[in-house]
Amino acid sequence: MTKRLEYLKNVKGIGLFTGLAGTGKTACCRAFVSSLNPSLYKVVYLPMTTISASEFYRDLAKGLGLEACYRKIDNFRNIQERIKKLYREQKTTLTVLIDEAQYLSRAVLSDLKILMNFEMDSKNYAVLALAGQPTLNDTLSMQIHEALRQRIVINYNMQGLTAKEAADYAKDRMRICGVSRDIFEPAALEAAYGYCCGSIRMLNTLLHRALIIGCEQKRDTVGTETVMDAANEIDLV
């Protein structure tokens, strides 16, 4: 996903990034933002998406350092002028990251294509990245959003970790903690991967719980049985 965000940064416009919960969308966005030169990119991160169109404009206006207006049209004009001024006068590209975008209302989605329309749709002055769960693709497939969908320059769906990546990730996390030997047995890592279905967040939770159980049971290594005990505890929460 990070490479796709880099591509979007270069071409500008709207990008769509989807994936199941816990597959690392927000982490990739965070890594991407940390790589940007703050003198060349103005980043606005919007995680609150269960809002009206007017609230969305006020939130974006505040993110741009503008005084939010009561009327949506005033916020729209001020935001567009601010974006153009940043790009033309300060050589700075606005980069808007909207997280949990699957919750955006139809009104907000309809306005996004208008907000990103510059110079009669002939210029791209900003980057807009929509990150959300796969249901967002279903929403955008509706006829009413055809105009927005046609303006998406890159559409990428995150698949989550593979079995090998999950095992490597677990071992790497342990090395960062100063553990040089393999704490998790290979079969235990396979079981953990099968439970997590590629979700990094779920894998973290499961392995952390397994380590606690293993410590309580004074085990030298974490086996499949311990991982399953951890999974059962999580399911009961």
Side-chain angles (χ1 to χ4, degrees):
M1 178 173 165
T2 304
K3 291 182 179 179
R4 271 75 174 187
L5 283 166
E6 284 290 331
Y7 173 78
L8 182 63
K9 179 187 75 173
N10 294 329
V11 300
K12 302 180 183 63
I14 303 174
L16 175 62
F17 304 90
T18 56
L20 294 174
T23 51
K25 300 182 297 297
T26 303
C28 286
C29 288
R30 187 166 58 247
F32 170 68
V33 168
S34 67
S35 72
L36 296 177
N37 185 336
S39 64
L40 299 177
Y41 295 91
K42 168 66 176 177
V43 178
V44 177
Y45 175 67
L46 303 177
M48 182 63 179
T49 52
T50 55
I51 54 179
S52 67
S54 294
E55 290 172 322
F56 170 77
Y57 277 104
R58 288 196 289 270
D59 197 15
L60 181 55
K62 291 179 180 178
L64 282 167
L66 300 169
E67 183 176 349
C69 302
Y70 177 76
R71 297 198 309 165
K72 186 176 79 170
I73 184 61
D74 294 329
N75 283 319
F76 171 81
R77 288 172 176 164
N78 291 342
I79 289 170
Q80 277 224 326
E81 287 303 312
R82 175 65 170 154
I83 292 173
K84 288 187 283 189
K85 184 176 181 180
L86 281 170
Y87 190 82
R88 293 171 176 170
E89 299 180 14
Q90 301 180 30
K91 309 302 180 186
T92 300
T93 301
L94 173 65
T95 302
V96 181
L97 301 173
I98 302 180
D99 211 349
E100 302 295 346
Q102 72 273 7
Y103 298 125
L104 288 173
S105 68
R106 178 180 296 181
V108 174
L109 288 171
S110 296
D111 272 19
L112 288 179
K113 62 181 181 293
I114 305 172
L115 188 64
M116 295 292 287
N117 185 335
F118 300 100
E119 311 299 343
M120 298 181 68
D121 215 13
S122 64
K123 300 289 185 180
N124 282 330
Y125 291 140
V127 171
L128 172 61
L130 302 173
Q133 295 186 24
T135 53
L136 181 57
N137 284 309
D138 298 331
T139 300
L140 294 178
S141 68
M142 298 170 62
Q143 184 61 37
I144 192 172
H145 297 307
E146 176 64 23
L148 173 59
R149 189 167 65 252
Q150 289 185 9
R151 285 170 170 78
I152 294 174
V153 298
I154 184 168
N155 186 346
Y156 179 69
N157 184 64
M158 296 186 68
Q159 298 298 321
L161 296 174
T162 65
K164 184 179 184 306
E165 288 171 338
D168 290 343
Y169 174 80
K171 293 175 182 178
D172 183 65
R173 294 297 91 185
M174 295 305 295
R175 281 195 291 269
I176 290 176
C177 293
V179 179
S180 57
R181 66 186 183 88
D182 291 335
I183 295 294
F184 294 98
E185 298 174 5
L189 291 175
E190 290 180 12
Y193 174 75
Y195 177 84
C196 298
C197 299
S199 169
I200 301 173
R201 183 183 302 128
M202 184 60 73
L203 182 65
N204 280 329
T205 301
L206 179 62
L207 295 184
H208 183 259
R209 189 68 61 88
L211 285 171
I212 293 175
I213 294 174
C215 180
E216 291 173 345
Q217 297 175 348
K218 302 185 185 305
R219 296 181 181 273
D220 293 327
T221 61
V222 173
T224 304
E225 183 179 348
T226 305
V227 168
M228 297 312 297
D229 288 341
N232 290 333
E233 283 194 8
I234 293 172
D235 289 338
L236 290 174
V237 173

